[in-house]
Amino acid sequence: MIKLAQAADVFFFGELHNDPIGHWLEQDILRDLVDKKGKKRVVAGAEMFERHQQKGLTQYLTGAIEEKEFVDSTGTWPNYKTDYRPVVEYCKEQEIPFIATNVPRRYARKVAIEGPASLDTLPEVEKRLMTPLPFEIDYTLPSYVAIKEMMGGHGHGMNMDNFIAAQAVKDATMAHFILENWKKGQLFYHLNGSYHSDSKEGIAWYLTQAKPEITIVNLTVVKQSDLGKVEDEHLGKADIIIVVPERMATSY
């Protein structure tokens, strides 16, 4: 797994947000990748941090502010201390850059309600927190089609194209800031919900649209009752599939 991952330009760890096995592996894999490549050739980033949080995150990583101020002022996920803190702390210790890649959720919410064109009216300073506009959306991507099918095709009164566009602005923004903070010869190690990188769609699709030659390796975490064989529905989702038992305790 590490041999495959270390050869990539971008490595996606597609997690289940409440899976403690995955969260433990996130730090462990990062440590192994740093051991193999050297800390100067690794950059980390995550869906769990939004672009407006980058200042506070950088201040904490460089020792300008204390952890309490970082957590209180930045507004981390509720499960930050149990699930993501170990990775951030390791990056702080090793002086590895950690990039907040995600679009602020208020803009994704705006797209879900008003559509992607609603972002055009934002001030330039706010547009810097997202992918350059306008951004392409391929509504035929299987992962986006699956969103519509999952919502029964109607989304309980919500405009389904807007709902998919809200997912797409997250994917496009994360891809944009991965590329903005990556240089050839480096490995960008990115944490995100598996749906954002499964089947190398989502973020990965936007990366390859912008830079077709980029090398991507993705990992996904799935749950099954039987650990003896990967179920057919999961095959093809990722280069690396971590299967955890359905009965495993969750972090929240």
PDB file of all heavy atoms in Angstrom, residues 147-175:
ATOM      1  N   ILE A 147     -26.166  10.583  -6.601  1.00  0.00           N
ATOM      2  CA  ILE A 147     -26.756  11.501  -5.615  1.00  0.00           C
ATOM      3  C   ILE A 147     -28.237  11.692  -5.918  1.00  0.00           C
ATOM      4  O   ILE A 147     -29.087  11.634  -5.029  1.00  0.00           O
ATOM      5  CB  ILE A 147     -26.031  12.866  -5.637  1.00  0.00           C
ATOM      6  CG1 ILE A 147     -24.607  12.728  -5.095  1.00  0.00           C
ATOM      7  CG2 ILE A 147     -26.806  13.901  -4.821  1.00  0.00           C
ATOM      8  CD1 ILE A 147     -23.784  13.997  -5.186  1.00  0.00           C
ATOM      9  N   LYS A 148     -28.535  11.911  -7.190  1.00  0.00           N
ATOM     10  CA  LYS A 148     -29.928  12.109  -7.602  1.00  0.00           C
ATOM     11  C   LYS A 148     -30.758  10.861  -7.321  1.00  0.00           C
ATOM     12  O   LYS A 148     -31.892  10.947  -6.809  1.00  0.00           O
ATOM     13  CB  LYS A 148     -29.984  12.463  -9.088  1.00  0.00           C
ATOM     14  CG  LYS A 148     -31.345  12.892  -9.570  1.00  0.00           C
ATOM     15  CD  LYS A 148     -31.319  13.304 -11.039  1.00  0.00           C
ATOM     16  CE  LYS A 148     -30.638  14.636 -11.230  1.00  0.00           C
ATOM     17  NZ  LYS A 148     -30.816  15.165 -12.609  1.00  0.00           N
ATOM     18  N   GLU A 149     -30.192   9.699  -7.612  1.00  0.00           N
ATOM     19  CA  GLU A 149     -30.904   8.444  -7.373  1.00  0.00           C
ATOM     20  C   GLU A 149     -31.112   8.208  -5.881  1.00  0.00           C
ATOM     21  O   GLU A 149     -32.170   7.726  -5.445  1.00  0.00           O
ATOM     22  CB  GLU A 149     -30.119   7.282  -7.985  1.00  0.00           C
ATOM     23  CG  GLU A 149     -30.109   7.306  -9.506  1.00  0.00           C
ATOM     24  CD  GLU A 149     -29.176   6.264 -10.096  1.00  0.00           C
ATOM     25  OE1 GLU A 149     -28.410   5.638  -9.322  1.00  0.00           O
ATOM     26  OE2 GLU A 149     -29.207   6.082 -11.334  1.00  0.00           O
ATOM     27  N   MET A 150     -30.111   8.575  -5.087  1.00  0.00           N
ATOM     28  CA  MET A 150     -30.196   8.403  -3.639  1.00  0.00           C
ATOM     29  C   MET A 150     -31.307   9.281  -3.046  1.00  0.00           C
ATOM     30  O   MET A 150     -31.951   8.903  -2.079  1.00  0.00           O
ATOM     31  CB  MET A 150     -28.847   8.767  -3.002  1.00  0.00           C
ATOM     32  CG  MET A 150     -28.671   8.340  -1.578  1.00  0.00           C
ATOM     33  SD  MET A 150     -26.936   8.436  -1.065  1.00  0.00           S
ATOM     34  CE  MET A 150     -26.438  10.059  -1.629  1.00  0.00           C
ATOM     35  N   MET A 151     -31.508  10.440  -3.662  1.00  0.00           N
ATOM     36  CA  MET A 151     -32.540  11.364  -3.188  1.00  0.00           C
ATOM     37  C   MET A 151     -33.890  11.088  -3.842  1.00  0.00           C
ATOM     38  O   MET A 151     -34.816  11.888  -3.735  1.00  0.00           O
ATOM     39  CB  MET A 151     -32.116  12.809  -3.469  1.00  0.00           C
ATOM     40  CG  MET A 151     -30.817  13.221  -2.821  1.00  0.00           C
ATOM     41  SD  MET A 151     -30.922  13.349  -1.024  1.00  0.00           S
ATOM     42  CE  MET A 151     -31.808  14.887  -0.855  1.00  0.00           C
ATOM     43  N   GLY A 152     -33.975   9.981  -4.567  1.00  0.00           N
ATOM     44  CA  GLY A 152     -35.238   9.612  -5.199  1.00  0.00           C
ATOM     45  C   GLY A 152     -35.566  10.442  -6.421  1.00  0.00           C
ATOM     46  O   GLY A 152     -36.706  10.455  -6.897  1.00  0.00           O
ATOM     47  N   GLY A 153     -34.578  11.187  -6.934  1.00  0.00           N
ATOM     48  CA  GLY A 153     -34.773  11.959  -8.149  1.00  0.00           C
ATOM     49  C   GLY A 153     -35.418  13.311  -7.950  1.00  0.00           C
ATOM     50  O   GLY A 153     -35.503  14.105  -8.882  1.00  0.00           O
ATOM     51  N   HIS A 154     -35.844  13.597  -6.711  1.00  0.00           N
ATOM     52  CA  HIS A 154     -36.543  14.877  -6.506  1.00  0.00           C
ATOM     53  C   HIS A 154     -36.017  15.656  -5.309  1.00  0.00           C
ATOM     54  O   HIS A 154     -36.220  16.863  -5.204  1.00  0.00           O
ATOM     55  CB  HIS A 154     -38.048  14.653  -6.331  1.00  0.00           C
ATOM     56  CG  HIS A 154     -38.382  13.603  -5.314  1.00  0.00           C
ATOM     57  ND1 HIS A 154     -38.237  13.809  -3.962  1.00  0.00           N
ATOM     58  CD2 HIS A 154     -38.831  12.334  -5.468  1.00  0.00           C
ATOM     59  CE1 HIS A 154     -38.600  12.704  -3.313  1.00  0.00           C
ATOM     60  NE2 HIS A 154     -38.957  11.790  -4.206  1.00  0.00           N
ATOM     61  N   GLY A 155     -35.305  15.022  -4.409  1.00  0.00           N
ATOM     62  CA  GLY A 155     -34.686  15.743  -3.299  1.00  0.00           C
ATOM     63  C   GLY A 155     -35.658  16.447  -2.379  1.00  0.00           C
ATOM     64  O   GLY A 155     -35.342  17.485  -1.801  1.00  0.00           O
ATOM     65  N   HIS A 156     -36.888  15.899  -2.262  1.00  0.00           N
ATOM     66  CA  HIS A 156     -37.874  16.468  -1.338  1.00  0.00           C
ATOM     67  C   HIS A 156     -38.091  17.962  -1.587  1.00  0.00           C
ATOM     68  O   HIS A 156     -38.055  18.792  -0.682  1.00  0.00           O
ATOM     69  CB  HIS A 156     -37.451  16.225   0.112  1.00  0.00           C
ATOM     70  CG  HIS A 156     -37.163  14.778   0.401  1.00  0.00           C
ATOM     71  ND1 HIS A 156     -38.153  13.817   0.463  1.00  0.00           N
ATOM     72  CD2 HIS A 156     -35.995  14.125   0.609  1.00  0.00           C
ATOM     73  CE1 HIS A 156     -37.604  12.630   0.714  1.00  0.00           C
ATOM     74  NE2 HIS A 156     -36.306  12.792   0.798  1.00  0.00           N
ATOM     75  N   GLY A 157     -38.278  18.298  -2.850  1.00  0.00           N
ATOM     76  CA  GLY A 157     -38.567  19.680  -3.206  1.00  0.00           C
ATOM     77  C   GLY A 157     -37.342  20.495  -3.559  1.00  0.00           C
ATOM     78  O   GLY A 157     -37.465  21.605  -4.082  1.00  0.00           O
ATOM     79  N   MET A 158     -36.144  19.972  -3.322  1.00  0.00           N
ATOM     80  CA  MET A 158     -34.919  20.702  -3.651  1.00  0.00           C
ATOM     81  C   MET A 158     -34.588  20.502  -5.128  1.00  0.00           C
ATOM     82  O   MET A 158     -34.816  19.431  -5.696  1.00  0.00           O
ATOM     83  CB  MET A 158     -33.764  20.210  -2.777  1.00  0.00           C
ATOM     84  CG  MET A 158     -32.442  20.890  -3.063  1.00  0.00           C
ATOM     85  SD  MET A 158     -31.140  20.360  -1.913  1.00  0.00           S
ATOM     86  CE  MET A 158     -31.609  21.280  -0.452  1.00  0.00           C
ATOM     87  N   ASN A 159     -34.046  21.539  -5.761  1.00  0.00           N
ATOM     88  CA  ASN A 159     -33.591  21.429  -7.138  1.00  0.00           C
ATOM     89  C   ASN A 159     -32.371  20.509  -7.163  1.00  0.00           C
ATOM     90  O   ASN A 159     -31.325  20.829  -6.599  1.00  0.00           O
ATOM     91  CB  ASN A 159     -33.220  22.824  -7.668  1.00  0.00           C
ATOM     92  CG  ASN A 159     -32.771  22.794  -9.114  1.00  0.00           C
ATOM     93  OD1 ASN A 159     -31.841  22.083  -9.472  1.00  0.00           O
ATOM     94  ND2 ASN A 159     -33.414  23.600  -9.933  1.00  0.00           N
ATOM     95  N   MET A 160     -32.484  19.345  -7.808  1.00  0.00           N
ATOM     96  CA  MET A 160     -31.430  18.345  -7.745  1.00  0.00           C
ATOM     97  C   MET A 160     -30.162  18.782  -8.478  1.00  0.00           C
ATOM     98  O   MET A 160     -29.053  18.445  -8.076  1.00  0.00           O
ATOM     99  CB  MET A 160     -31.917  17.008  -8.288  1.00  0.00           C
ATOM    100  CG  MET A 160     -32.849  16.267  -7.335  1.00  0.00           C
ATOM    101  SD  MET A 160     -32.144  16.067  -5.667  1.00  0.00           S
ATOM    102  CE  MET A 160     -30.642  15.161  -5.991  1.00  0.00           C
ATOM    103  N   ASP A 161     -30.304  19.554  -9.553  1.00  0.00           N
ATOM    104  CA  ASP A 161     -29.111  20.062 -10.235  1.00  0.00           C
ATOM    105  C   ASP A 161     -28.332  20.996  -9.313  1.00  0.00           C
ATOM    106  O   ASP A 161     -27.094  20.970  -9.288  1.00  0.00           O
ATOM    107  CB  ASP A 161     -29.497  20.786 -11.525  1.00  0.00           C
ATOM    108  CG  ASP A 161     -29.787  19.813 -12.671  1.00  0.00           C
ATOM    109  OD1 ASP A 161     -29.542  18.599 -12.495  1.00  0.00           O
ATOM    110  OD2 ASP A 161     -30.257  20.265 -13.722  1.00  0.00           O
ATOM    111  N   ASN A 162     -29.035  21.809  -8.561  1.00  0.00           N
ATOM    112  CA  ASN A 162     -28.370  22.702  -7.604  1.00  0.00           C
ATOM    113  C   ASN A 162     -27.715  21.908  -6.488  1.00  0.00           C
ATOM    114  O   ASN A 162     -26.620  22.242  -6.019  1.00  0.00           O
ATOM    115  CB  ASN A 162     -29.367  23.699  -7.003  1.00  0.00           C
ATOM    116  CG  ASN A 162     -29.811  24.751  -7.993  1.00  0.00           C
ATOM    117  OD1 ASN A 162     -29.257  24.855  -9.097  1.00  0.00           O
ATOM    118  ND2 ASN A 162     -30.805  25.535  -7.622  1.00  0.00           N
ATOM    119  N   PHE A 163     -28.387  20.845  -6.067  1.00  0.00           N
ATOM    120  CA  PHE A 163     -27.845  20.002  -5.000  1.00  0.00           C
ATOM    121  C   PHE A 163     -26.531  19.360  -5.449  1.00  0.00           C
ATOM    122  O   PHE A 163     -25.553  19.313  -4.696  1.00  0.00           O
ATOM    123  CB  PHE A 163     -28.875  18.935  -4.621  1.00  0.00           C
ATOM    124  CG  PHE A 163     -28.557  18.189  -3.367  1.00  0.00           C
ATOM    125  CD1 PHE A 163     -28.766  18.767  -2.116  1.00  0.00           C
ATOM    126  CD2 PHE A 163     -28.043  16.904  -3.415  1.00  0.00           C
ATOM    127  CE1 PHE A 163     -28.462  18.081  -0.949  1.00  0.00           C
ATOM    128  CE2 PHE A 163     -27.738  16.195  -2.257  1.00  0.00           C
ATOM    129  CZ  PHE A 163     -27.949  16.793  -1.019  1.00  0.00           C
ATOM    130  N   ILE A 164     -26.517  18.879  -6.687  1.00  0.00           N
ATOM    131  CA  ILE A 164     -25.297  18.293  -7.245  1.00  0.00           C
ATOM    132  C   ILE A 164     -24.225  19.367  -7.431  1.00  0.00           C
ATOM    133  O   ILE A 164     -23.041  19.140  -7.165  1.00  0.00           O
ATOM    134  CB  ILE A 164     -25.606  17.582  -8.582  1.00  0.00           C
ATOM    135  CG1 ILE A 164     -26.455  16.337  -8.319  1.00  0.00           C
ATOM    136  CG2 ILE A 164     -24.330  17.225  -9.336  1.00  0.00           C
ATOM    137  CD1 ILE A 164     -27.051  15.720  -9.564  1.00  0.00           C
ATOM    138  N   ALA A 165     -24.637  20.554  -7.862  1.00  0.00           N
ATOM    139  CA  ALA A 165     -23.688  21.661  -8.032  1.00  0.00           C
ATOM    140  C   ALA A 165     -23.021  22.045  -6.712  1.00  0.00           C
ATOM    141  O   ALA A 165     -21.853  22.444  -6.692  1.00  0.00           O
ATOM    142  CB  ALA A 165     -24.398  22.873  -8.635  1.00  0.00           C
ATOM    143  N   ALA A 166     -23.757  21.900  -5.617  1.00  0.00           N
ATOM    144  CA  ALA A 166     -23.182  22.199  -4.296  1.00  0.00           C
ATOM    145  C   ALA A 166     -22.074  21.207  -3.963  1.00  0.00           C
ATOM    146  O   ALA A 166     -21.050  21.562  -3.371  1.00  0.00           O
ATOM    147  CB  ALA A 166     -24.270  22.163  -3.231  1.00  0.00           C
ATOM    148  N   GLN A 167     -22.276  19.938  -4.346  1.00  0.00           N
ATOM    149  CA  GLN A 167     -21.227  18.931  -4.185  1.00  0.00           C
ATOM    150  C   GLN A 167     -20.050  19.261  -5.094  1.00  0.00           C
ATOM    151  O   GLN A 167     -18.876  19.167  -4.703  1.00  0.00           O
ATOM    152  CB  GLN A 167     -21.779  17.546  -4.518  1.00  0.00           C
ATOM    153  CG  GLN A 167     -20.763  16.413  -4.473  1.00  0.00           C
ATOM    154  CD  GLN A 167     -20.580  15.825  -3.091  1.00  0.00           C
ATOM    155  OE1 GLN A 167     -21.122  16.337  -2.118  1.00  0.00           O
ATOM    156  NE2 GLN A 167     -19.813  14.758  -2.994  1.00  0.00           N
ATOM    157  N   ALA A 168     -20.357  19.669  -6.312  1.00  0.00           N
ATOM    158  CA  ALA A 168     -19.319  19.951  -7.305  1.00  0.00           C
ATOM    159  C   ALA A 168     -18.455  21.143  -6.905  1.00  0.00           C
ATOM    160  O   ALA A 168     -17.241  21.129  -7.152  1.00  0.00           O
ATOM    161  CB  ALA A 168     -19.961  20.189  -8.673  1.00  0.00           C
ATOM    162  N   VAL A 169     -19.039  22.167  -6.306  1.00  0.00           N
ATOM    163  CA  VAL A 169     -18.220  23.328  -5.924  1.00  0.00           C
ATOM    164  C   VAL A 169     -17.237  22.951  -4.821  1.00  0.00           C
ATOM    165  O   VAL A 169     -16.125  23.489  -4.746  1.00  0.00           O
ATOM    166  CB  VAL A 169     -19.095  24.543  -5.522  1.00  0.00           C
ATOM    167  CG1 VAL A 169     -19.727  24.374  -4.138  1.00  0.00           C
ATOM    168  CG2 VAL A 169     -18.276  25.828  -5.560  1.00  0.00           C
ATOM    169  N   LYS A 170     -17.622  21.998  -3.976  1.00  0.00           N
ATOM    170  CA  LYS A 170     -16.678  21.485  -2.976  1.00  0.00           C
ATOM    171  C   LYS A 170     -15.548  20.729  -3.670  1.00  0.00           C
ATOM    172  O   LYS A 170     -14.368  20.962  -3.393  1.00  0.00           O
ATOM    173  CB  LYS A 170     -17.397  20.550  -1.994  1.00  0.00           C
ATOM    174  CG  LYS A 170     -18.450  21.203  -1.134  1.00  0.00           C
ATOM    175  CD  LYS A 170     -19.123  20.157  -0.248  1.00  0.00           C
ATOM    176  CE  LYS A 170     -20.256  20.747   0.571  1.00  0.00           C
ATOM    177  NZ  LYS A 170     -20.919  19.711   1.398  1.00  0.00           N
ATOM    178  N   ASP A 171     -15.913  19.813  -4.568  1.00  0.00           N
ATOM    179  CA  ASP A 171     -14.911  19.017  -5.270  1.00  0.00           C
ATOM    180  C   ASP A 171     -13.958  19.897  -6.079  1.00  0.00           C
ATOM    181  O   ASP A 171     -12.738  19.718  -6.039  1.00  0.00           O
ATOM    182  CB  ASP A 171     -15.589  18.014  -6.205  1.00  0.00           C
ATOM    183  CG  ASP A 171     -16.356  16.925  -5.467  1.00  0.00           C
ATOM    184  OD1 ASP A 171     -15.986  16.621  -4.314  1.00  0.00           O
ATOM    185  OD2 ASP A 171     -17.309  16.375  -6.044  1.00  0.00           O
ATOM    186  N   ALA A 172     -14.522  20.849  -6.806  1.00  0.00           N
ATOM    187  CA  ALA A 172     -13.709  21.730  -7.649  1.00  0.00           C
ATOM    188  C   ALA A 172     -12.783  22.602  -6.808  1.00  0.00           C
ATOM    189  O   ALA A 172     -11.619  22.826  -7.172  1.00  0.00           O
ATOM    190  CB  ALA A 172     -14.620  22.603  -8.515  1.00  0.00           C
ATOM    191  N   THR A 173     -13.291  23.089  -5.675  1.00  0.00           N
ATOM    192  CA  THR A 173     -12.475  23.938  -4.800  1.00  0.00           C
ATOM    193  C   THR A 173     -11.334  23.139  -4.185  1.00  0.00           C
ATOM    194  O   THR A 173     -10.185  23.601  -4.132  1.00  0.00           O
ATOM    195  CB  THR A 173     -13.349  24.571  -3.701  1.00  0.00           C
ATOM    196  OG1 THR A 173     -14.315  25.434  -4.321  1.00  0.00           O
ATOM    197  CG2 THR A 173     -12.506  25.381  -2.723  1.00  0.00           C
ATOM    198  N   MET A 174     -11.629  21.927  -3.718  1.00  0.00           N
ATOM    199  CA  MET A 174     -10.563  21.114  -3.130  1.00  0.00           C
ATOM    200  C   MET A 174      -9.496  20.787  -4.170  1.00  0.00           C
ATOM    201  O   MET A 174      -8.299  20.851  -3.876  1.00  0.00           O
ATOM    202  CB  MET A 174     -11.159  19.849  -2.504  1.00  0.00           C
ATOM    203  CG  MET A 174     -11.922  20.136  -1.213  1.00  0.00           C
ATOM    204  SD  MET A 174     -12.441  18.649  -0.309  1.00  0.00           S
ATOM    205  CE  MET A 174     -14.041  18.335  -1.053  1.00  0.00           C
ATOM    206  N   ALA A 175      -9.905  20.470  -5.391  1.00  0.00           N
ATOM    207  CA  ALA A 175      -8.938  20.197  -6.456  1.00  0.00           C
ATOM    208  C   ALA A 175      -8.085  21.436  -6.740  1.00  0.00           C
ATOM    209  O   ALA A 175      -6.860  21.344  -6.904  1.00  0.00           O
ATOM    210  CB  ALA A 175      -9.669  19.752  -7.721  1.00  0.00           C
TER     211      ALA A 175
END
